[in-house]
Coordinates of all heavy atoms in Angstrom, one line a residue:
M781 N 0.8 -1.2 0.0 CA 0.0 0.0 0.0 C 0.9 1.2 0.0 O 1.8 1.4 0.8 CB -0.9 0.0 1.2 CG -2.0 0.9 1.1 SD -3.3 0.8 2.4 CE -3.6 -1.0 2.6
S782 N 0.7 2.1 -0.9 CA 1.5 3.3 -1.1 C 1.1 4.4 0.0 O -0.1 4.6 0.3 CB 1.3 3.9 -2.5 OG 2.0 5.1 -2.6
T783 N 2.1 5.0 0.6 CA 1.9 6.0 1.6 C 2.7 7.2 1.2 O 3.9 7.1 0.9 CB 2.3 5.5 3.0 OG1 1.6 4.3 3.3 CG2 2.1 6.6 4.0
I784 N 2.0 8.4 1.2 CA 2.7 9.7 1.0 C 2.5 10.4 2.3 O 1.4 10.6 2.8 CB 2.1 10.5 -0.2 CG1 2.2 9.7 -1.5 CG2 2.7 11.8 -0.3 CD1 1.5 10.4 -2.7
V785 N 3.6 10.9 2.8 CA 3.6 11.7 4.0 C 4.2 13.1 3.8 O 5.4 13.1 3.3 CB 4.3 11.1 5.2 CG1 4.3 12.0 6.4 CG2 3.6 9.7 5.6
A786 N 3.5 14.1 4.0 CA 4.0 15.5 4.0 C 4.2 15.9 5.4 O 3.3 15.8 6.2 CB 3.1 16.5 3.3
F787 N 5.4 16.3 5.8 CA 5.7 16.7 7.2 C 6.6 17.9 7.3 O 7.3 18.2 6.4 CB 6.2 15.5 8.0 CG 7.7 15.1 7.6 CD1 8.7 15.6 8.5 CD2 8.0 14.4 6.5 CE1 10.0 15.2 8.2 CE2 9.3 14.1 6.2 CZ 10.3 14.5 7.1
S788 N 6.4 18.5 8.4 CA 7.2 19.7 8.8 C 7.7 19.5 10.2 O 6.9 19.1 11.1 CB 6.3 20.9 8.7 OG 7.0 22.1 9.1
V789 N 8.9 19.9 10.5 CA 9.5 19.7 11.8 C 10.1 21.1 12.3 O 10.6 21.8 11.4 CB 10.5 18.6 12.0 CG1 9.9 17.3 11.8 CG2 11.7 18.9 11.0
S790 N 9.9 21.4 13.5 CA 10.5 22.6 14.1 C 11.0 22.3 15.5 O 10.2 21.9 16.4 CB 9.5 23.7 14.2 OG 9.1 24.2 12.9
P791 N 12.3 22.5 15.7 CA 12.8 22.4 17.1 C 12.5 23.7 17.8 O 12.4 24.8 17.3 CB 14.3 22.3 16.9 CG 14.6 23.0 15.6 CD 13.4 22.8 14.7
L792 N 12.2 23.5 19.1 CA 11.9 24.7 19.9 C 13.1 25.0 20.9 O 13.7 24.1 21.4 CB 10.6 24.4 20.8 CG 9.4 24.1 20.0 CD1 8.2 23.8 20.9 CD2 9.0 25.3 19.0
G793 N 13.4 26.2 21.1 CA 14.5 26.6 22.0 C 15.8 26.6 21.3 O 16.8 26.6 22.1
S794 N 15.9 26.6 20.0 CA 17.2 26.6 19.4 C 17.5 27.8 18.6 O 18.3 27.8 17.6 CB 17.4 25.3 18.5 OG 16.4 25.3 17.5
G795 N 16.8 28.9 18.8 CA 17.1 30.2 18.1 C 16.0 30.4 17.1 O 15.1 29.6 16.9
E796 N 16.2 31.5 16.4 CA 15.2 32.0 15.4 C 15.2 31.1 14.1 O 14.1 30.8 13.6 CB 15.4 33.4 15.0 CG 14.3 34.0 14.1 CD 14.5 35.5 13.9 OE1 15.0 36.2 14.8 OE2 14.1 35.9 12.8
S797 N 16.3 30.8 13.6 CA 16.4 30.1 12.3 C 16.4 28.6 12.6 O 17.1 28.0 13.5 CB 17.7 30.4 11.6 OG 17.9 29.5 10.5
V798 N 15.5 27.9 11.9 CA 15.4 26.4 12.0 C 16.1 25.7 10.8 O 16.0 24.5 10.7 CB 13.9 26.0 12.1 CG1 13.3 26.5 13.4 CG2 13.1 26.4 10.9
A799 N 16.7 26.5 9.9 CA 17.3 25.9 8.8 C 18.3 24.8 9.1 O 18.3 23.8 8.4 CB 18.0 27.0 7.9
P800 N 19.2 24.9 10.1 CA 20.1 23.8 10.3 C 19.4 22.5 10.7 O 19.8 21.4 10.3 CB 21.0 24.3 11.5 CG 21.0 25.8 11.3 CD 19.5 26.1 10.9
A801 N 18.4 22.7 11.6 CA 17.6 21.5 12.0 C 16.8 20.9 10.9 O 16.8 19.7 10.7 CB 16.7 21.9 13.2
V802 N 16.2 21.7 10.1 CA 15.5 21.2 8.9 C 16.4 20.5 7.9 O 16.1 19.5 7.4 CB 14.7 22.4 8.2 CG1 14.1 21.9 6.9 CG2 13.6 22.9 9.2
A803 N 17.6 21.1 7.7 CA 18.6 20.4 6.8 C 18.9 19.1 7.3 O 19.1 18.1 6.5 CB 19.8 21.3 6.7
R804 N 19.1 18.9 8.6 CA 19.4 17.6 9.2 C 18.3 16.6 8.9 O 18.5 15.4 8.5 CB 19.7 17.6 10.7 CG 21.0 18.3 11.0 CD 21.3 18.1 12.5 NE 20.3 18.6 13.4 CZ 20.3 19.9 13.9 NH1 21.2 20.7 13.5 NH2 19.4 20.2 14.8
A805 N 17.0 17.1 9.0 CA 15.8 16.2 8.8 C 15.8 15.9 7.3 O 15.5 14.7 6.9 CB 14.6 16.9 9.2
V806 N 16.0 16.8 6.4 CA 15.9 16.6 5.0 C 17.0 15.6 4.5 O 16.8 14.8 3.7 CB 16.0 17.9 4.2 CG1 16.1 17.7 2.7 CG2 14.7 18.7 4.4
K807 N 18.2 15.7 5.2 CA 19.3 14.8 4.8 C 18.9 13.4 5.1 O 19.2 12.5 4.3 CB 20.5 15.2 5.7 CG 21.8 14.4 5.4 CD 22.9 14.9 6.2 CE 24.2 14.3 5.7 NZ 24.5 13.0 6.4
V808 N 18.2 13.1 6.2 CA 17.7 11.8 6.6 C 16.8 11.3 5.5 O 16.9 10.2 5.0 CB 17.0 11.8 7.9 CG1 16.3 10.5 8.2 CG2 18.0 12.0 9.0
V809 N 15.9 12.2 5.1 CA 14.9 11.8 4.0 C 15.6 11.4 2.7 O 15.4 10.4 2.1 CB 13.8 12.9 3.8 CG1 12.9 12.6 2.6 CG2 13.0 13.1 5.1
R810 N 16.5 12.3 2.3 CA 17.2 12.1 1.0 C 18.1 10.9 1.0 O 18.2 10.1 0.0 CB 18.0 13.3 0.6 CG 17.1 14.5 0.3 CD 17.8 15.7 -0.2 NE 16.8 16.8 -0.6 CZ 17.2 18.0 -0.9 NH1 18.5 18.3 -0.9 NH2 16.2 18.9 -1.2
E811 N 18.7 10.6 2.2 CA 19.5 9.4 2.3 C 18.7 8.1 2.3 O 19.3 7.0 2.2 CB 20.5 9.5 3.5 CG 21.6 10.6 3.2 CD 22.5 10.7 4.4 OE1 22.2 10.2 5.5 OE2 23.5 11.4 4.3
S812 N 17.4 8.2 2.6 CA 16.6 7.0 2.7 C 16.4 6.3 1.3 O 16.1 5.1 1.3 CB 15.2 7.4 3.2 OG 14.4 8.1 2.2
G813 N 16.6 7.1 0.2 CA 16.4 6.5 -1.1 C 15.0 6.5 -1.5 O 14.7 6.1 -2.7
L814 N 14.0 6.9 -0.7 CA 12.6 7.0 -1.1 C 12.4 8.2 -1.9 O 13.0 9.2 -1.7 CB 11.7 7.0 0.2 CG 11.8 5.8 1.1 CD1 10.9 6.0 2.3 CD2 11.3 4.5 0.3
P815 N 11.4 8.2 -2.8 CA 11.0 9.4 -3.5 C 10.6 10.5 -2.6 O 9.9 10.2 -1.6 CB 9.8 8.9 -4.4 CG 9.9 7.4 -4.5 CD 10.6 7.0 -3.2
N816 N 11.1 11.7 -2.8 CA 10.8 12.8 -1.9 C 11.0 14.1 -2.6 O 11.6 14.2 -3.6 CB 11.7 12.7 -0.7 CG 13.2 13.0 -1.0 OD1 13.6 14.1 -1.1 ND2 13.9 11.9 -1.3
E817 N 10.4 15.1 -2.0 CA 10.5 16.5 -2.5 C 10.4 17.4 -1.2 O 9.7 17.1 -0.3 CB 9.3 16.9 -3.4 CG 9.3 16.1 -4.7 CD 8.2 16.5 -5.6 OE1 7.3 17.3 -5.2 OE2 8.2 16.0 -6.8
T818 N 11.1 18.5 -1.3 CA 11.1 19.5 -0.2 C 10.7 20.8 -0.8 O 11.2 21.3 -1.9 CB 12.5 19.6 0.4 OG1 12.9 18.3 0.9 CG2 12.5 20.6 1.5
S819 N 9.7 21.5 -0.1 CA 9.3 22.8 -0.5 C 9.6 23.7 0.7 O 10.1 23.3 1.7 CB 7.8 22.8 -0.8 OG 7.0 22.5 0.3
A820 N 9.1 25.0 0.6 CA 9.3 25.9 1.6 C 8.7 25.6 3.0 O 9.2 26.0 4.0 CB 8.8 27.3 1.2
M821 N 7.6 24.8 2.9 CA 6.9 24.5 4.1 C 6.9 23.0 4.6 O 6.7 22.7 5.7 CB 5.4 24.9 4.0 CG 5.2 26.4 3.7 SD 5.6 27.4 5.2 CE 4.2 26.9 6.3
F822 N 7.1 22.1 3.6 CA 7.0 20.7 3.9 C 8.0 19.8 3.1 O 8.4 20.2 2.1 CB 5.6 20.1 3.6 CG 4.5 20.5 4.5 CD1 3.8 21.7 4.3 CD2 4.2 19.8 5.6 CE1 2.8 22.1 5.1 CE2 3.2 20.2 6.5 CZ 2.5 21.3 6.3
T823 N 8.3 18.7 3.7 CA 9.0 17.7 3.0 C 8.0 16.5 2.8 O 7.3 16.1 3.7 CB 10.3 17.2 3.7 OG1 11.2 18.3 3.8 CG2 11.0 16.0 3.0
T824 N 8.0 16.0 1.6 CA 7.1 14.9 1.2 C 7.9 13.7 0.8 O 8.8 13.8 0.1 CB 6.1 15.3 0.1 OG1 5.5 16.6 0.4 CG2 5.1 14.3 -0.2
V825 N 7.5 12.5 1.4 CA 8.2 11.3 1.1 C 7.1 10.2 0.8 O 6.0 10.2 1.4 CB 9.1 10.9 2.3 CG1 8.3 10.7 3.6 CG2 10.0 9.7 2.0
E826 N 7.5 9.3 -0.1 CA 6.6 8.3 -0.5 C 7.2 6.9 -0.4 O 8.4 6.7 -0.7 CB 6.1 8.5 -2.0 CG 5.2 7.5 -2.5 CD 4.7 7.8 -3.9 OE1 5.3 8.6 -4.6 OE2 3.6 7.2 -4.3
G827 N 6.4 5.9 0.0 CA 6.8 4.5 0.1 C 5.8 3.7 0.8 O 4.6 4.1 0.9
E828 N 6.2 2.6 1.3 CA 5.4 1.8 2.2 C 5.3 2.4 3.6 O 6.2 3.0 4.0 CB 5.9 0.3 2.2 CG 5.8 -0.4 0.9 CD 4.4 -0.5 0.3 OE1 3.5 -0.8 1.0 OE2 4.3 -0.2 -0.9
W829 N 4.1 2.2 4.2 CA 3.8 2.8 5.5 C 5.0 2.7 6.5 O 5.5 3.7 7.0 CB 2.6 2.1 6.1 CG 2.3 2.6 7.5 CD1 2.7 2.1 8.7 CD2 1.5 3.8 7.8 NE1 2.2 2.8 9.7 CE2 1.5 3.9 9.3 CE3 0.9 4.8 7.1 CZ2 0.9 4.9 9.9 CZ3 0.3 5.8 7.8 CH2 0.3 5.8 9.2
D830 N 5.5 1.5 6.7 CA 6.5 1.3 7.8 C 7.8 2.0 7.4 O 8.4 2.6 8.3 CB 6.8 -0.2 8.0 CG 5.6 -0.9 8.7 OD1 4.8 -0.2 9.4 OD2 5.6 -2.2 8.7
E831 N 8.2 1.9 6.1 CA 9.5 2.6 5.8 C 9.3 4.1 5.8 O 10.2 4.8 6.2 CB 10.0 2.1 4.4 CG 9.1 2.4 3.2 CD 9.6 1.7 2.0 OE1 10.7 1.2 1.9 OE2 8.8 1.7 1.0
V832 N 8.2 4.6 5.4 CA 8.0 6.1 5.4 C 7.9 6.6 6.8 O 8.6 7.6 7.2 CB 6.7 6.5 4.6 CG1 6.4 7.9 4.9 CG2 6.9 6.2 3.2
M833 N 7.2 5.9 7.7 CA 7.1 6.3 9.1 C 8.4 6.2 9.8 O 8.7 7.1 10.7 CB 6.0 5.6 9.8 CG 4.6 5.9 9.2 SD 4.2 7.6 9.0 CE 4.0 8.1 10.7
D834 N 9.2 5.2 9.5 CA 10.6 5.1 10.1 C 11.4 6.3 9.6 O 12.2 6.9 10.5 CB 11.2 3.8 9.6 CG 12.7 3.7 10.2 OD1 12.8 3.7 11.4 OD2 13.6 3.7 9.4
V835 N 11.4 6.7 8.4 CA 12.1 7.9 7.9 C 11.6 9.1 8.6 O 12.5 10.0 9.0 CB 12.0 8.0 6.3 CG1 12.5 9.4 5.9 CG2 12.7 6.9 5.7
V836 N 10.3 9.3 8.7 CA 9.8 10.5 9.4 C 10.3 10.5 10.9 O 10.7 11.6 11.4 CB 8.3 10.6 9.4 CG1 7.7 11.6 10.3 CG2 7.8 10.8 7.9
K837 N 10.3 9.4 11.5 CA 10.7 9.3 12.9 C 12.2 9.7 13.0 O 12.6 10.5 13.9 CB 10.5 7.9 13.5 CG 11.1 7.7 14.9 CD 10.9 6.3 15.3 CE 11.5 6.0 16.7 NZ 11.4 4.6 17.1
R838 N 13.0 9.2 12.2 CA 14.4 9.5 12.2 C 14.7 11.0 11.8 O 15.6 11.6 12.4 CB 15.2 8.6 11.3 CG 15.3 7.2 11.8 CD 16.2 6.2 11.1 NE 15.6 5.9 9.7 CZ 16.2 6.3 8.6 NH1 17.4 6.9 8.6 NH2 15.6 6.0 7.4
A839 N 13.9 11.5 10.9 CA 14.0 12.9 10.5 C 13.7 13.9 11.7 O 14.3 14.9 12.0 CB 13.1 13.2 9.3
V840 N 12.6 13.5 12.4 CA 12.2 14.3 13.6 C 13.3 14.2 14.7 O 13.7 15.3 15.3 CB 10.9 13.8 14.2 CG1 10.6 14.5 15.5 CG2 9.7 14.1 13.2
Q841 N 13.9 13.1 14.9 CA 15.0 12.9 15.8 C 16.2 13.8 15.4 O 16.8 14.5 16.2 CB 15.4 11.5 16.0 CG 14.4 10.6 16.7 CD 14.6 9.1 16.6 OE1 15.3 8.7 15.7 NE2 14.1 8.4 17.5
A842 N 16.5 13.8 14.1 CA 17.6 14.5 13.6 C 17.4 16.0 13.8 O 18.3 16.8 14.2 CB 17.9 14.2 12.1
A843 N 16.2 16.5 13.5 CA 15.9 17.9 13.7 C 15.9 18.3 15.1 O 16.3 19.5 15.4 CB 14.5 18.2 13.1
G844 N 15.7 17.4 16.0 CA 15.7 17.7 17.4 C 17.0 17.7 18.1 O 17.1 18.0 19.3
E845 N 18.0 17.3 17.4 CA 19.4 17.3 18.0 C 19.7 18.7 18.7 O 19.7 19.7 18.0 CB 20.4 16.9 17.0 CG 20.3 15.5 16.6 CD 21.3 15.2 15.4 OE1 22.2 16.0 15.1 OE2 21.2 14.1 14.8
G846 N 20.0 18.7 20.0 CA 20.3 19.9 20.6 C 19.1 20.7 21.1 O 19.3 21.8 21.7
A847 N 17.9 20.3 20.8 CA 16.7 21.0 21.2 C 16.0 20.2 22.3 O 16.1 19.0 22.4 CB 15.8 21.2 20.1
S848 N 15.4 21.0 23.2 CA 14.7 20.3 24.3 C 13.3 19.8 23.9 O 12.7 19.0 24.6 CB 14.5 21.2 25.5 OG 13.8 22.4 25.1
R849 N 12.8 20.3 22.7 CA 11.5 20.0 22.2 C 11.4 20.1 20.7 O 12.0 21.0 20.2 CB 10.5 20.9 22.9 CG 9.0 20.6 22.7 CD 8.2 21.6 23.5 NE 6.8 21.3 23.4 CZ 5.9 22.1 23.9 NH1 6.2 23.1 24.7 NH2 4.6 21.8 23.8
V850 N 10.6 19.3 20.1 CA 10.4 19.3 18.6 C 8.9 19.2 18.4 O 8.3 18.3 18.9 CB 11.2 18.2 17.9 CG1 10.9 18.3 16.4 CG2 12.6 18.2 18.2
T851 N 8.4 20.0 17.5 CA 7.0 19.9 17.0 C 7.1 19.3 15.6 O 8.0 19.6 14.8 CB 6.2 21.2 17.0 OG1 6.8 22.1 16.1 CG2 6.2 21.8 18.4
A852 N 6.1 18.5 15.2 CA 6.0 18.0 13.9 C 4.5 18.0 13.4 O 3.6 17.7 14.2 CB 6.5 16.5 13.8
T853 N 4.3 18.3 12.2 CA 3.0 18.3 11.6 C 3.1 17.3 10.4 O 4.0 17.4 9.6 CB 2.6 19.7 11.0 OG1 2.7 20.6 12.1 CG2 1.3 19.7 10.4
L854 N 2.1 16.4 10.4 CA 2.1 15.4 9.3 C 0.7 15.3 8.6 O -0.3 15.5 9.3 CB 2.3 14.0 9.9 CG 3.7 13.6 10.3 CD1 4.1 14.2 11.6 CD2 3.8 12.1 10.4
K855 N 0.8 15.1 7.3 CA -0.4 14.8 6.6 C -0.1 13.6 5.8 O 0.9 13.4 5.1 CB -0.7 16.0 5.6 CG -2.0 15.7 4.8 CD -2.5 16.9 4.0 CE -3.8 16.6 3.4 NZ -4.3 17.8 2.7
V856 N -1.0 12.6 5.9 CA -0.8 11.2 5.4 C -1.8 10.8 4.4 O -3.0 11.0 4.6 CB -0.7 10.2 6.5 CG1 -0.4 8.8 6.0 CG2 0.3 10.6 7.6
D857 N -1.4 10.3 3.2 CA -2.3 9.8 2.2 C -1.9 8.3 2.0 O -0.8 8.0 1.5 CB -2.2 10.6 0.9 CG -3.1 10.1 -0.2 OD1 -3.9 9.2 0.1 OD2 -3.0 10.6 -1.3
V858 N -2.8 7.4 2.4 CA -2.6 6.0 2.2 C -3.5 5.5 1.1 O -4.7 5.7 1.2 CB -2.8 5.2 3.5 CG1 -2.5 3.7 3.3 CG2 -1.9 5.7 4.6
R859 N -3.0 4.8 0.1 CA -3.8 4.4 -1.1 C -3.3 3.2 -1.7 O -2.1 3.1 -2.0 CB -3.8 5.6 -2.1 CG -4.9 5.4 -3.1 CD -5.0 6.7 -3.9 NE -5.9 6.5 -5.0 CZ -6.0 7.4 -6.0 NH1 -5.3 8.5 -6.0 NH2 -6.9 7.2 -6.9
E860 N -4.2 2.2 -1.9 CA -3.8 1.0 -2.6 C -3.7 1.2 -4.1 O -4.4 1.9 -4.7 CB -4.8 -0.1 -2.3 CG -4.7 -0.7 -0.9 CD -5.5 -1.9 -0.7 OE1 -5.5 -2.8 -1.5 OE2 -6.2 -2.0 0.4
G861 N -2.8 0.4 -4.7 CA -2.7 0.4 -6.1 C -2.1 1.6 -6.8 O -2.2 1.7 -8.0
V862 N -1.5 2.5 -6.1 CA -0.9 3.7 -6.6 C 0.6 3.6 -6.6 O 1.2 3.2 -5.5 CB -1.4 4.9 -5.9 CG1 -0.6 6.2 -6.4 CG2 -2.8 5.1 -6.1
T863 N 1.3 3.9 -7.7 CA 2.7 4.0 -7.7 C 3.1 5.4 -8.2 O 2.3 6.0 -9.0 CB 3.4 3.0 -8.5 OG1 2.9 3.1 -9.9 CG2 3.2 1.6 -8.0
D864 N 4.1 6.0 -7.7 CA 4.5 7.3 -8.0 C 3.4 8.4 -7.8 O 3.3 9.3 -8.6 CB 5.1 7.4 -9.4 CG 5.9 8.7 -9.7 OD1 6.5 9.2 -8.7 OD2 5.9 9.1 -10.9
G865 N 2.7 8.2 -6.7 CA 1.7 9.2 -6.4 C 2.2 10.6 -6.2 O 1.5 11.6 -6.4
L866 N 3.5 10.7 -5.7 CA 4.1 11.9 -5.5 C 4.1 12.8 -6.7 O 3.9 14.0 -6.6 CB 5.6 11.7 -5.1 CG 6.4 12.8 -4.5 CD1 5.7 13.3 -3.2 CD2 7.8 12.4 -4.2
H867 N 4.2 12.2 -7.9 CA 4.2 13.0 -9.2 C 2.9 12.9 -9.9 O 2.5 13.8 -10.6 CB 5.4 12.5 -10.0 CG 6.7 12.8 -9.4 ND1 7.5 11.7 -8.9 CD2 7.4 13.9 -9.1 CE1 8.6 12.2 -8.3 NE2 8.5 13.5 -8.4
S868 N 2.3 11.7 -9.9 CA 1.0 11.5 -10.6 C -0.1 12.4 -10.2 O -0.9 12.8 -11.0 CB 0.6 10.0 -10.7 OG 0.3 9.6 -9.4
K869 N -0.1 12.7 -8.9 CA -1.2 13.6 -8.3 C -1.0 15.0 -8.9 O -2.0 15.6 -9.3 CB -1.2 13.6 -6.8 CG -1.6 12.2 -6.2 CD -1.5 12.2 -4.7 CE -2.6 13.0 -4.1 NZ -2.8 12.8 -2.7
V870 N 0.2 15.4 -8.9 CA 0.5 16.8 -9.5 C 0.2 16.8 -11.0 O -0.4 17.8 -11.5 CB 1.9 17.2 -9.2 CG1 2.3 18.5 -9.8 CG2 2.1 17.3 -7.7
A871 N 0.6 15.8 -11.7 CA 0.3 15.7 -13.1 C -1.2 15.8 -13.4 O -1.6 16.4 -14.4 CB 0.9 14.4 -13.7
A872 N -2.0 15.1 -12.6 CA -3.4 15.2 -12.8 C -4.0 16.6 -12.7 O -4.8 17.0 -13.5 CB -4.1 14.2 -11.8
V873 N -3.5 17.3 -11.7 CA -3.9 18.7 -11.5 C -3.4 19.6 -12.7 O -4.2 20.4 -13.2 CB -3.4 19.3 -10.2 CG1 -3.7 20.8 -10.1 CG2 -4.0 18.5 -9.0
E874 N -2.2 19.3 -13.2 CA -1.7 20.1 -14.3 C -2.5 19.8 -15.6 O -2.8 20.8 -16.3 CB -0.2 19.7 -14.6 CG 0.7 20.2 -13.5 CD 0.8 21.7 -13.4 OE1 0.5 22.5 -14.3 OE2 1.2 22.2 -12.3
R875 N -3.0 18.6 -15.8 CA -3.8 18.3 -16.9 C -5.2 19.1 -16.8 O -5.7 19.6 -17.8 CB -4.1 16.8 -17.0 CG -2.9 16.0 -17.6 CD -3.3 14.6 -17.9 NE -3.8 13.8 -16.8 CZ -3.0 13.2 -15.9 NH1 -1.7 13.2 -16.0 NH2 -3.6 12.5 -14.9
E876 N -5.7 19.1 -15.6 CA -6.9 19.8 -15.4 C -6.7 21.3 -15.7 O -7.6 22.0 -16.3 CB -7.5 19.6 -14.0 CG -8.0 18.2 -13.7 CD -9.2 17.9 -14.6 OE1 -10.0 18.8 -14.8 OE2 -9.2 16.7 -15.1
L877 N -5.6 21.9 -15.2 CA -5.3 23.3 -15.5 C -5.2 23.6 -17.0 O -5.7 24.6 -17.5 CB -4.0 23.7 -14.8 CG -4.1 23.9 -13.3 CD1 -2.8 24.0 -12.6 CD2 -5.0 25.1 -12.9
D878 N -4.6 22.7 -17.7 CA -4.4 22.8 -19.1 C -5.8 22.8 -19.8 O -6.0 23.6 -20.8 CB -3.6 21.7 -19.7 CG -2.1 21.9 -19.4 OD1 -1.7 23.0 -19.0 OD2 -1.4 20.9 -19.5
S879 N -6.7 22.0 -19.3 CA -8.1 21.9 -19.9 C -8.9 23.2 -19.6 O -9.9 23.5 -20.3 CB -8.8 20.7 -19.4 OG -9.2 20.9 -18.1
L880 N -8.5 24.0 -18.7 CA -9.2 25.2 -18.3 C -8.8 26.4 -19.2 O -9.5 27.4 -19.1 CB -9.0 25.6 -16.8 CG -9.6 24.5 -15.8 CD1 -9.2 25.0 -14.4 CD2 -11.1 24.4 -15.9
Q881 N -7.8 26.2 -20.0 CA -7.3 27.3 -20.8 C -8.0 27.4 -22.1 O -8.5 26.5 -22.7 CB -5.8 27.2 -21.0 CG -5.1 27.4 -19.7 CD -3.6 27.2 -19.8 OE1 -3.0 27.1 -20.9 NE2 -2.9 27.2 -18.7

């Protein structure tokens, strides 16, 4: 079963910029080998439930290094029979946009 998770992490008590902590989290995701994308607000990763949730867990831990507290926001899409949902969902919207012109 394909799982897509969009998540955001923020350490608390580590200063104004969270870029170093977010970079540690994104590094974990990218090294996982799972399909992923990072935007200004979220990192999205796709795979099987257990492997995706393990990557998210490790990313949250990495972001929290040196912080006394970490917050995380997750949005999860679990769907059977879908492959490459990370890109196919966006492609479907792009096709719809093209038809509106």
Side-chain angles (χ1 to χ4, degrees):
M781 196 171 314
S782 177
T783 302
I784 299 174
V785 175
F787 73 100
S788 175
V789 294
S790 292
L792 302 177
S794 60
E796 186 175 329
S797 176
V798 296
V802 172
R804 290 191 302 271
V806 171
K807 183 175 189 275
V808 168
V809 173
R810 291 185 179 172
E811 289 179 348
S812 74
L814 295 176
N816 66 86
E817 294 181 353
T818 299
S819 68
M821 297 289 292
F822 286 92
T823 295
T824 306
V825 61
E826 180 177 18
E828 295 300 315
W829 175 268
D830 288 339
E831 62 186 351
V832 169
M833 295 311 288
D834 178 63
V835 168
V836 171
K837 177 183 176 182
R838 292 185 291 115
V840 170
Q841 290 170 337
E845 291 174 11
S848 60
R849 186 176 181 185
V850 180
T851 64
T853 301
L854 283 78
K855 183 170 184 177
V856 181
D857 181 5
V858 181
R859 192 169 176 191
E860 287 192 42
V862 173
T863 57
D864 195 28
L866 194 62
H867 299 107
S868 63
K869 291 175 79 164
V870 175
V873 171
E874 292 295 338
R875 283 191 302 274
E876 290 297 321
L877 285 169
D878 287 344
S879 73
L880 296 175
Q881 295 179 6

